[in-house]
Amino acid sequence: MRRFRTSVLVSARSPAPTGPGGGLLPVRELAVAWSLVVLITVPAWVLTVGQAQDMGVEPGTMGLALPLFLLLWVAMTAAMMVPSMAPVALTWVRGLGRRSSGWSRAGHVLEFVGGYLLVWTAFGLLAYVALDFTGGVVADHPAAGRWVGAVAFLLAGLYQLGPLKNVCLRHCRDPMSQLVRYAGFRQPARDLRVGLHHGGYCVGCCAGLMVVLVPLGVMNVAAMAGLAVVIFVEKLWSRGPLLAGVVGVVFLVLAGLAPFQDWLLPGLQESAPSMSNM
């Protein structure tokens, strides 16, 4: 335990993985690590885009049963979130390398990733309920979709500007101090707990951004790509908190426009065509 804590403390003095020189890992290991990130992210995007082309952008859950929805949700989460959480994951893996190797290290990494995705899967349950509700509202009262969209943008904007967003974003932008804290976690299932803990903060950081998928469409590839870029920049750019505030203001503006601009609400219109038919 003491040796692992020391290794993390040493890492804490190094620049972030995306900083000059990639100080957290040797250049060769850093290149391999980011290659693995690409290998995870690209297939996730391919699966997500393929499903979006088949399903189109429609209100609600698009008729998906909960298990299939969660499967697609996890794939979408991996596509959007893995690049931005890579610095924390890479740093944790480096610490693992000092106390394990081979299959043992792989098991620890799987626990970490499993915990992270488990939190996002739980959030997916909430998303399913929200989408099912909004889909029912739009089906019964099509005109209400404008106000549902306005409320979604309003909530997203207020969240982006709120204190919980700032707390969670600060956590995600400062992985070193958190990893020092994680080094004090004890077994059993320490790596799973680390993944759950970091995943919780990640959900807290991105929850407002994900809310806008209600009016924009949960399978809207353009919206997902745009949000993925925002998430990545918020967490890794030196002025990420400023971007978070700007995005919040933009959402508030869209909340005012939504009742009068149907083009802002593709995810709340029954007639929205699929991408393959556009």
Side-chain angles (χ1 to χ4, degrees), residues 163-222:
L164 182 58
K165 167 74 177 191
N166 290 332
V167 169
C168 294
L169 182 58
R170 196 161 53 240
H171 168 97
C172 293
R173 288 176 54 80
D174 185 20
M176 289 296 92
S177 62
Q178 300 305 323
L179 290 173
V180 171
R181 177 184 178 184
Y182 293 158
F185 283 16
R186 296 183 178 180
Q187 297 289 0
R190 177 169 67 174
D191 302 290
L192 178 65
R193 291 170 56 204
V194 171
L196 290 169
H197 190 270
H198 183 64
Y201 274 101
C202 189
V203 167
C205 181
C206 303
L209 296 171
M210 301 301 281
V211 166
V212 301
L213 290 176
V214 172
L216 296 179
V218 72
M219 295 303 292
N220 187 328
V221 174

Short mmCIF file of all heavy atoms in Angstrom, two decimals, residues 163-222:
data_model
loop_
_atom_site.label_atom_id
_atom_site.label_comp_id
_atom_site.label_asym_id
_atom_site.label_seq_id
_atom_site.Cartn_x
_atom_site.Cartn_y
_atom_site.Cartn_z
N PRO A 163 -23.40 24.97 -9.09
CA PRO A 163 -22.25 24.56 -8.26
C PRO A 163 -21.87 23.09 -8.41
O PRO A 163 -20.68 22.76 -8.33
CB PRO A 163 -22.73 24.86 -6.84
CG PRO A 163 -24.23 24.85 -6.92
CD PRO A 163 -24.56 25.37 -8.28
N LEU A 164 -22.85 22.19 -8.60
CA LEU A 164 -22.53 20.77 -8.72
C LEU A 164 -21.67 20.52 -9.96
O LEU A 164 -20.72 19.71 -9.92
CB LEU A 164 -23.81 19.94 -8.78
CG LEU A 164 -23.61 18.41 -8.85
CD1 LEU A 164 -22.81 17.92 -7.66
CD2 LEU A 164 -24.96 17.71 -8.91
N LYS A 165 -21.99 21.18 -11.06
CA LYS A 165 -21.18 21.06 -12.27
C LYS A 165 -19.75 21.48 -11.98
O LYS A 165 -18.79 20.80 -12.38
CB LYS A 165 -21.78 21.93 -13.37
CG LYS A 165 -20.87 22.16 -14.58
CD LYS A 165 -20.78 20.94 -15.46
CE LYS A 165 -19.92 21.24 -16.69
NZ LYS A 165 -19.99 20.17 -17.70
N ASN A 166 -19.57 22.59 -11.27
CA ASN A 166 -18.23 23.09 -10.99
C ASN A 166 -17.44 22.12 -10.13
O ASN A 166 -16.25 21.88 -10.37
CB ASN A 166 -18.31 24.45 -10.29
CG ASN A 166 -18.79 25.55 -11.22
OD1 ASN A 166 -18.59 25.47 -12.43
ND2 ASN A 166 -19.44 26.56 -10.66
N VAL A 167 -18.10 21.54 -9.13
CA VAL A 167 -17.42 20.59 -8.25
C VAL A 167 -16.96 19.36 -9.04
O VAL A 167 -15.81 18.92 -8.92
CB VAL A 167 -18.35 20.17 -7.10
CG1 VAL A 167 -17.76 18.98 -6.32
CG2 VAL A 167 -18.59 21.34 -6.16
N CYS A 168 -17.85 18.82 -9.84
CA CYS A 168 -17.53 17.60 -10.60
C CYS A 168 -16.49 17.88 -11.69
O CYS A 168 -15.60 17.07 -11.94
CB CYS A 168 -18.79 17.01 -11.20
SG CYS A 168 -19.97 16.40 -9.97
N LEU A 169 -16.60 19.03 -12.34
CA LEU A 169 -15.63 19.38 -13.37
C LEU A 169 -14.25 19.57 -12.76
O LEU A 169 -13.24 19.16 -13.34
CB LEU A 169 -16.07 20.64 -14.11
CG LEU A 169 -15.16 21.11 -15.25
CD1 LEU A 169 -15.02 20.03 -16.31
CD2 LEU A 169 -15.70 22.40 -15.87
N ARG A 170 -14.20 20.17 -11.59
CA ARG A 170 -12.92 20.36 -10.90
C ARG A 170 -12.28 19.02 -10.59
O ARG A 170 -11.06 18.84 -10.72
CB ARG A 170 -13.14 21.18 -9.63
CG ARG A 170 -11.89 21.78 -9.05
CD ARG A 170 -12.21 22.92 -8.10
NE ARG A 170 -13.18 22.55 -7.06
CZ ARG A 170 -14.34 23.13 -6.89
NH1 ARG A 170 -14.73 24.11 -7.70
NH2 ARG A 170 -15.15 22.74 -5.92
N HIS A 171 -13.09 18.05 -10.19
CA HIS A 171 -12.58 16.69 -9.94
C HIS A 171 -11.98 16.09 -11.21
O HIS A 171 -10.87 15.55 -11.20
CB HIS A 171 -13.71 15.80 -9.43
CG HIS A 171 -13.37 14.34 -9.41
ND1 HIS A 171 -12.94 13.69 -8.28
CD2 HIS A 171 -13.39 13.40 -10.40
CE1 HIS A 171 -12.71 12.42 -8.57
NE2 HIS A 171 -12.98 12.22 -9.85
N CYS A 172 -12.73 16.17 -12.31
CA CYS A 172 -12.29 15.55 -13.56
C CYS A 172 -11.07 16.25 -14.15
O CYS A 172 -10.30 15.63 -14.88
CB CYS A 172 -13.44 15.55 -14.57
SG CYS A 172 -14.83 14.48 -14.11
N ARG A 173 -10.90 17.53 -13.83
CA ARG A 173 -9.76 18.29 -14.36
C ARG A 173 -8.50 18.14 -13.50
O ARG A 173 -7.43 18.59 -13.89
CB ARG A 173 -10.14 19.76 -14.48
CG ARG A 173 -11.11 20.06 -15.61
CD ARG A 173 -11.53 21.52 -15.59
NE ARG A 173 -10.38 22.41 -15.61
CZ ARG A 173 -9.69 22.73 -16.70
NH1 ARG A 173 -10.06 22.23 -17.87
NH2 ARG A 173 -8.67 23.56 -16.64
N ASP A 174 -8.64 17.54 -12.32
CA ASP A 174 -7.50 17.40 -11.41
C ASP A 174 -7.36 15.94 -10.98
O ASP A 174 -7.57 15.60 -9.82
CB ASP A 174 -7.69 18.31 -10.20
CG ASP A 174 -6.48 18.31 -9.28
OD1 ASP A 174 -5.39 17.94 -9.74
OD2 ASP A 174 -6.65 18.66 -8.10
N PRO A 175 -7.05 15.06 -11.93
CA PRO A 175 -7.01 13.63 -11.59
C PRO A 175 -5.93 13.27 -10.58
O PRO A 175 -6.08 12.31 -9.83
CB PRO A 175 -6.74 12.96 -12.95
CG PRO A 175 -6.06 14.02 -13.77
CD PRO A 175 -6.70 15.30 -13.34
N MET A 176 -4.86 14.04 -10.53
CA MET A 176 -3.76 13.68 -9.64
C MET A 176 -4.19 13.66 -8.18
O MET A 176 -3.92 12.70 -7.45
CB MET A 176 -2.60 14.66 -9.83
CG MET A 176 -1.86 14.52 -11.14
SD MET A 176 -1.03 12.93 -11.31
CE MET A 176 -2.29 11.99 -12.13
N SER A 177 -4.85 14.73 -7.72
CA SER A 177 -5.25 14.77 -6.31
C SER A 177 -6.24 13.66 -5.99
O SER A 177 -6.22 13.09 -4.90
CB SER A 177 -5.86 16.14 -6.00
OG SER A 177 -7.03 16.36 -6.77
N GLN A 178 -7.10 13.32 -6.96
CA GLN A 178 -8.05 12.25 -6.73
C GLN A 178 -7.38 10.89 -6.68
O GLN A 178 -7.74 10.03 -5.87
CB GLN A 178 -9.13 12.28 -7.81
CG GLN A 178 -9.92 13.57 -7.86
CD GLN A 178 -10.54 13.94 -6.53
OE1 GLN A 178 -11.00 13.07 -5.78
NE2 GLN A 178 -10.54 15.21 -6.20
N LEU A 179 -6.37 10.69 -7.53
CA LEU A 179 -5.68 9.41 -7.54
C LEU A 179 -4.86 9.21 -6.27
O LEU A 179 -4.69 8.09 -5.80
CB LEU A 179 -4.80 9.30 -8.78
CG LEU A 179 -5.58 9.16 -10.10
CD1 LEU A 179 -4.65 9.25 -11.29
CD2 LEU A 179 -6.36 7.86 -10.12
N VAL A 180 -4.35 10.29 -5.71
CA VAL A 180 -3.69 10.19 -4.41
C VAL A 180 -4.70 9.73 -3.36
O VAL A 180 -4.41 8.89 -2.51
CB VAL A 180 -3.07 11.54 -4.01
CG1 VAL A 180 -2.57 11.50 -2.57
CG2 VAL A 180 -1.92 11.89 -4.95
N ARG A 181 -5.91 10.28 -3.44
CA ARG A 181 -6.97 9.86 -2.53
C ARG A 181 -7.33 8.40 -2.76
O ARG A 181 -7.53 7.64 -1.81
CB ARG A 181 -8.20 10.75 -2.73
CG ARG A 181 -9.39 10.36 -1.88
CD ARG A 181 -10.59 11.22 -2.22
NE ARG A 181 -11.76 10.85 -1.45
CZ ARG A 181 -12.96 11.39 -1.61
NH1 ARG A 181 -13.14 12.34 -2.51
NH2 ARG A 181 -13.98 10.99 -0.88
N TYR A 182 -7.42 7.99 -4.03
CA TYR A 182 -7.78 6.61 -4.34
C TYR A 182 -6.76 5.62 -3.81
O TYR A 182 -7.08 4.47 -3.52
CB TYR A 182 -7.91 6.43 -5.86
CG TYR A 182 -9.06 7.17 -6.49
CD1 TYR A 182 -9.05 7.49 -7.85
CD2 TYR A 182 -10.18 7.56 -5.75
CE1 TYR A 182 -10.10 8.17 -8.45
CE2 TYR A 182 -11.23 8.24 -6.34
CZ TYR A 182 -11.19 8.54 -7.69
OH TYR A 182 -12.22 9.21 -8.27
N ALA A 183 -5.51 6.06 -3.73
CA ALA A 183 -4.47 5.17 -3.24
C ALA A 183 -4.74 4.71 -1.81
O ALA A 183 -4.21 3.69 -1.36
CB ALA A 183 -3.11 5.86 -3.31
N GLY A 184 -5.57 5.47 -1.09
CA GLY A 184 -5.93 5.09 0.27
C GLY A 184 -7.10 4.13 0.35
O GLY A 184 -7.42 3.64 1.44
N PHE A 185 -7.76 3.86 -0.78
CA PHE A 185 -8.85 2.90 -0.78
C PHE A 185 -8.30 1.51 -0.48
O PHE A 185 -7.24 1.14 -0.96
CB PHE A 185 -9.56 2.88 -2.14
CG PHE A 185 -10.50 4.03 -2.38
CD1 PHE A 185 -10.45 5.17 -1.61
CD2 PHE A 185 -11.44 3.98 -3.40
CE1 PHE A 185 -11.30 6.23 -1.83
CE2 PHE A 185 -12.30 5.02 -3.64
CZ PHE A 185 -12.24 6.16 -2.85
N ARG A 186 -9.02 0.74 0.28
CA ARG A 186 -8.58 -0.60 0.64
C ARG A 186 -9.41 -1.65 -0.09
O ARG A 186 -10.51 -1.40 -0.55
CB ARG A 186 -8.69 -0.81 2.15
CG ARG A 186 -7.75 0.12 2.95
CD ARG A 186 -7.85 -0.18 4.43
NE ARG A 186 -6.94 0.66 5.21
CZ ARG A 186 -6.82 0.61 6.52
NH1 ARG A 186 -7.56 -0.25 7.22
NH2 ARG A 186 -5.96 1.41 7.15
N GLN A 187 -8.86 -2.84 -0.16
CA GLN A 187 -9.58 -3.97 -0.73
C GLN A 187 -10.72 -4.33 0.21
O GLN A 187 -10.71 -3.97 1.39
CB GLN A 187 -8.63 -5.16 -0.90
CG GLN A 187 -7.49 -4.91 -1.86
CD GLN A 187 -7.95 -4.83 -3.32
OE1 GLN A 187 -9.13 -4.97 -3.64
NE2 GLN A 187 -7.01 -4.59 -4.22
N PRO A 188 -11.75 -5.03 -0.24
CA PRO A 188 -11.84 -5.69 -1.54
C PRO A 188 -12.37 -4.77 -2.64
O PRO A 188 -12.98 -3.74 -2.36
CB PRO A 188 -12.85 -6.82 -1.27
CG PRO A 188 -13.75 -6.25 -0.21
CD PRO A 188 -12.86 -5.40 0.66
N ALA A 189 -12.11 -5.17 -3.87
CA ALA A 189 -12.63 -4.51 -5.07
C ALA A 189 -12.26 -3.03 -5.09
O ALA A 189 -13.08 -2.18 -5.44
CB ALA A 189 -14.14 -4.69 -5.17
N ARG A 190 -11.01 -2.73 -4.76
CA ARG A 190 -10.60 -1.33 -4.74
C ARG A 190 -10.73 -0.69 -6.11
O ARG A 190 -11.22 0.44 -6.23
CB ARG A 190 -9.16 -1.19 -4.23
CG ARG A 190 -8.69 0.26 -4.28
CD ARG A 190 -7.40 0.48 -3.56
NE ARG A 190 -6.29 -0.18 -4.23
CZ ARG A 190 -5.02 -0.03 -3.84
NH1 ARG A 190 -4.73 0.72 -2.79
NH2 ARG A 190 -4.05 -0.63 -4.49
N ASP A 191 -10.28 -1.38 -7.16
CA ASP A 191 -10.30 -0.79 -8.50
C ASP A 191 -11.73 -0.56 -8.98
O ASP A 191 -12.01 0.41 -9.67
CB ASP A 191 -9.53 -1.68 -9.47
CG ASP A 191 -8.10 -1.88 -9.02
OD1 ASP A 191 -7.33 -0.91 -9.09
OD2 ASP A 191 -7.75 -2.99 -8.59
N LEU A 192 -12.64 -1.46 -8.60
CA LEU A 192 -14.04 -1.28 -8.93
C LEU A 192 -14.59 -0.03 -8.25
O LEU A 192 -15.30 0.77 -8.85
CB LEU A 192 -14.85 -2.51 -8.50
CG LEU A 192 -16.36 -2.43 -8.75
CD1 LEU A 192 -16.67 -2.38 -10.23
CD2 LEU A 192 -17.06 -3.63 -8.09
N ARG A 193 -14.21 0.17 -6.99
CA ARG A 193 -14.67 1.33 -6.25
C ARG A 193 -14.10 2.61 -6.85
O ARG A 193 -14.79 3.64 -6.90
CB ARG A 193 -14.26 1.21 -4.79
CG ARG A 193 -14.99 0.11 -4.02
CD ARG A 193 -14.36 -0.12 -2.67
NE ARG A 193 -14.30 1.10 -1.89
CZ ARG A 193 -13.42 1.31 -0.91
NH1 ARG A 193 -12.53 0.37 -0.61
NH2 ARG A 193 -13.44 2.45 -0.24
N VAL A 194 -12.85 2.57 -7.29
CA VAL A 194 -12.26 3.74 -7.94
C VAL A 194 -13.03 4.10 -9.21
O VAL A 194 -13.34 5.26 -9.46
CB VAL A 194 -10.78 3.50 -8.26
CG1 VAL A 194 -10.22 4.63 -9.13
CG2 VAL A 194 -9.96 3.38 -6.98
N GLY A 195 -13.36 3.06 -10.01
CA GLY A 195 -14.13 3.29 -11.23
C GLY A 195 -15.50 3.86 -10.93
O GLY A 195 -15.97 4.78 -11.61
N LEU A 196 -16.16 3.33 -9.90
CA LEU A 196 -17.47 3.84 -9.50
C LEU A 196 -17.38 5.29 -9.05
O LEU A 196 -18.21 6.14 -9.42
CB LEU A 196 -18.05 2.98 -8.37
CG LEU A 196 -18.50 1.56 -8.73
CD1 LEU A 196 -18.79 0.76 -7.46
CD2 LEU A 196 -19.74 1.60 -9.62
N HIS A 197 -16.37 5.58 -8.25
CA HIS A 197 -16.20 6.93 -7.71
C HIS A 197 -15.94 7.93 -8.82
O HIS A 197 -16.59 8.99 -8.90
CB HIS A 197 -15.04 6.92 -6.71
CG HIS A 197 -14.93 8.19 -5.91
ND1 HIS A 197 -14.17 9.25 -6.32
CD2 HIS A 197 -15.47 8.54 -4.72
CE1 HIS A 197 -14.25 10.22 -5.42
NE2 HIS A 197 -15.03 9.82 -4.44
N HIS A 198 -15.00 7.59 -9.70
CA HIS A 198 -14.69 8.52 -10.79
C HIS A 198 -15.86 8.61 -11.77
O HIS A 198 -16.17 9.70 -12.28
CB HIS A 198 -13.43 8.07 -11.53
CG HIS A 198 -13.02 9.02 -12.61
ND1 HIS A 198 -12.64 10.31 -12.34
CD2 HIS A 198 -12.97 8.88 -13.97
CE1 HIS A 198 -12.35 10.94 -13.49
NE2 HIS A 198 -12.55 10.09 -14.47
N GLY A 199 -16.53 7.49 -12.03
CA GLY A 199 -17.69 7.51 -12.90
C GLY A 199 -18.80 8.40 -12.36
O GLY A 199 -19.48 9.10 -13.12
N GLY A 200 -18.98 8.39 -11.03
CA GLY A 200 -19.99 9.25 -10.43
C GLY A 200 -19.70 10.72 -10.68
O GLY A 200 -20.60 11.51 -11.01
N TYR A 201 -18.43 11.10 -10.51
CA TYR A 201 -18.06 12.49 -10.79
C TYR A 201 -18.20 12.82 -12.27
O TYR A 201 -18.59 13.94 -12.64
CB TYR A 201 -16.63 12.76 -10.32
CG TYR A 201 -16.53 13.16 -8.87
CD1 TYR A 201 -16.14 12.23 -7.90
CD2 TYR A 201 -16.83 14.45 -8.47
CE1 TYR A 201 -16.05 12.60 -6.57
CE2 TYR A 201 -16.74 14.82 -7.14
CZ TYR A 201 -16.35 13.90 -6.18
OH TYR A 201 -16.27 14.26 -4.85
N CYS A 202 -17.90 11.86 -13.13
CA CYS A 202 -18.02 12.09 -14.57
C CYS A 202 -19.48 12.30 -14.96
O CYS A 202 -19.80 13.19 -15.76
CB CYS A 202 -17.43 10.91 -15.33
SG CYS A 202 -17.29 11.17 -17.11
N VAL A 203 -20.37 11.50 -14.38
CA VAL A 203 -21.80 11.70 -14.63
C VAL A 203 -22.23 13.07 -14.14
O VAL A 203 -22.95 13.81 -14.83
CB VAL A 203 -22.63 10.60 -13.95
CG1 VAL A 203 -24.11 10.97 -13.93
CG2 VAL A 203 -22.44 9.27 -14.66
N GLY A 204 -21.76 13.45 -12.95
CA GLY A 204 -22.09 14.76 -12.42
C GLY A 204 -21.58 15.89 -13.29
O GLY A 204 -22.21 16.94 -13.41
N CYS A 205 -20.44 15.68 -13.93
CA CYS A 205 -19.86 16.69 -14.80
C CYS A 205 -20.64 16.82 -16.11
O CYS A 205 -20.78 17.91 -16.66
CB CYS A 205 -18.40 16.34 -15.09
SG CYS A 205 -17.54 17.52 -16.14
N CYS A 206 -21.16 15.71 -16.62
CA CYS A 206 -21.74 15.68 -17.96
C CYS A 206 -23.25 15.58 -17.99
O CYS A 206 -23.85 15.59 -19.08
CB CYS A 206 -21.16 14.50 -18.75
SG CYS A 206 -19.35 14.51 -18.86
N ALA A 207 -23.90 15.49 -16.84
CA ALA A 207 -25.34 15.27 -16.80
C ALA A 207 -26.11 16.34 -17.56
O ALA A 207 -27.04 16.05 -18.32
CB ALA A 207 -25.83 15.19 -15.36
N GLY A 208 -25.74 17.61 -17.36
CA GLY A 208 -26.44 18.69 -18.04
C GLY A 208 -26.31 18.59 -19.55
O GLY A 208 -27.26 18.85 -20.29
N LEU A 209 -25.12 18.23 -20.00
CA LEU A 209 -24.90 18.09 -21.44
C LEU A 209 -25.74 16.96 -22.02
O LEU A 209 -26.25 17.07 -23.14
CB LEU A 209 -23.41 17.84 -21.71
CG LEU A 209 -22.45 18.97 -21.32
CD1 LEU A 209 -21.00 18.51 -21.45
CD2 LEU A 209 -22.69 20.21 -22.19
N MET A 210 -25.88 15.88 -21.28
CA MET A 210 -26.64 14.75 -21.78
C MET A 210 -28.14 15.04 -21.83
O MET A 210 -28.87 14.45 -22.63
CB MET A 210 -26.38 13.52 -20.91
CG MET A 210 -24.91 13.10 -20.84
SD MET A 210 -24.19 12.70 -22.45
CE MET A 210 -24.83 11.05 -22.70
N VAL A 211 -28.61 15.96 -21.00
CA VAL A 211 -30.03 16.30 -20.99
C VAL A 211 -30.48 16.84 -22.34
O VAL A 211 -31.61 16.61 -22.77
CB VAL A 211 -30.32 17.32 -19.86
CG1 VAL A 211 -31.71 17.95 -20.03
CG2 VAL A 211 -30.22 16.64 -18.50
N VAL A 212 -29.60 17.55 -23.04
CA VAL A 212 -30.01 18.15 -24.31
C VAL A 212 -30.24 17.11 -25.40
O VAL A 212 -30.75 17.44 -26.47
CB VAL A 212 -28.99 19.21 -24.80
CG1 VAL A 212 -28.82 20.32 -23.78
CG2 VAL A 212 -27.65 18.59 -25.13
N LEU A 213 -29.87 15.85 -25.13
CA LEU A 213 -30.19 14.81 -26.09
C LEU A 213 -31.69 14.52 -26.14
O LEU A 213 -32.16 13.88 -27.08
CB LEU A 213 -29.43 13.52 -25.76
CG LEU A 213 -27.91 13.57 -25.99
CD1 LEU A 213 -27.25 12.27 -25.55
CD2 LEU A 213 -27.59 13.85 -27.46
N VAL A 214 -32.43 14.98 -25.14
CA VAL A 214 -33.89 14.82 -25.19
C VAL A 214 -34.47 15.63 -26.36
O VAL A 214 -35.17 15.08 -27.21
CB VAL A 214 -34.53 15.23 -23.85
CG1 VAL A 214 -36.06 15.25 -23.98
CG2 VAL A 214 -34.13 14.26 -22.75
N PRO A 215 -34.19 16.95 -26.46
CA PRO A 215 -34.71 17.67 -27.62
C PRO A 215 -33.94 17.42 -28.91
O PRO A 215 -34.52 17.47 -30.00
CB PRO A 215 -34.59 19.14 -27.20
CG PRO A 215 -33.50 19.16 -26.20
CD PRO A 215 -33.60 17.86 -25.47
N LEU A 216 -32.64 17.14 -28.80
CA LEU A 216 -31.84 16.97 -30.01
C LEU A 216 -31.93 15.55 -30.58
O LEU A 216 -31.65 15.33 -31.75
CB LEU A 216 -30.37 17.31 -29.73
CG LEU A 216 -30.08 18.76 -29.34
CD1 LEU A 216 -28.59 18.96 -29.08
CD2 LEU A 216 -30.55 19.72 -30.43
N GLY A 217 -32.31 14.58 -29.74
CA GLY A 217 -32.41 13.20 -30.19
C GLY A 217 -31.28 12.36 -29.64
O GLY A 217 -30.11 12.69 -29.83
N VAL A 218 -31.63 11.27 -28.96
CA VAL A 218 -30.61 10.45 -28.31
C VAL A 218 -29.73 9.74 -29.32
O VAL A 218 -28.60 9.35 -29.01
CB VAL A 218 -31.28 9.43 -27.35
CG1 VAL A 218 -31.98 8.33 -28.12
CG2 VAL A 218 -30.27 8.85 -26.37
N MET A 219 -30.21 9.57 -30.56
CA MET A 219 -29.39 8.95 -31.60
C MET A 219 -28.99 9.98 -32.68
O MET A 219 -28.73 9.61 -33.82
CB MET A 219 -30.14 7.79 -32.25
CG MET A 219 -30.42 6.63 -31.31
SD MET A 219 -28.93 5.94 -30.54
CE MET A 219 -28.13 5.20 -31.95
N ASN A 220 -28.91 11.22 -32.29
CA ASN A 220 -28.48 12.30 -33.18
C ASN A 220 -26.96 12.33 -33.20
O ASN A 220 -26.33 12.82 -32.26
CB ASN A 220 -29.06 13.63 -32.70
CG ASN A 220 -28.80 14.77 -33.66
OD1 ASN A 220 -27.78 14.81 -34.34
ND2 ASN A 220 -29.72 15.72 -33.71
N VAL A 221 -26.35 11.81 -34.25
CA VAL A 221 -24.90 11.66 -34.31
C VAL A 221 -24.20 13.02 -34.24
O VAL A 221 -23.17 13.17 -33.56
CB VAL A 221 -24.47 10.90 -35.58
CG1 VAL A 221 -22.96 10.87 -35.71
CG2 VAL A 221 -25.03 9.48 -35.55
N ALA A 222 -24.73 14.01 -34.95
CA ALA A 222 -24.11 15.33 -34.93
C ALA A 222 -24.11 15.90 -33.51
O ALA A 222 -23.10 16.48 -33.06
CB ALA A 222 -24.85 16.27 -35.88
#
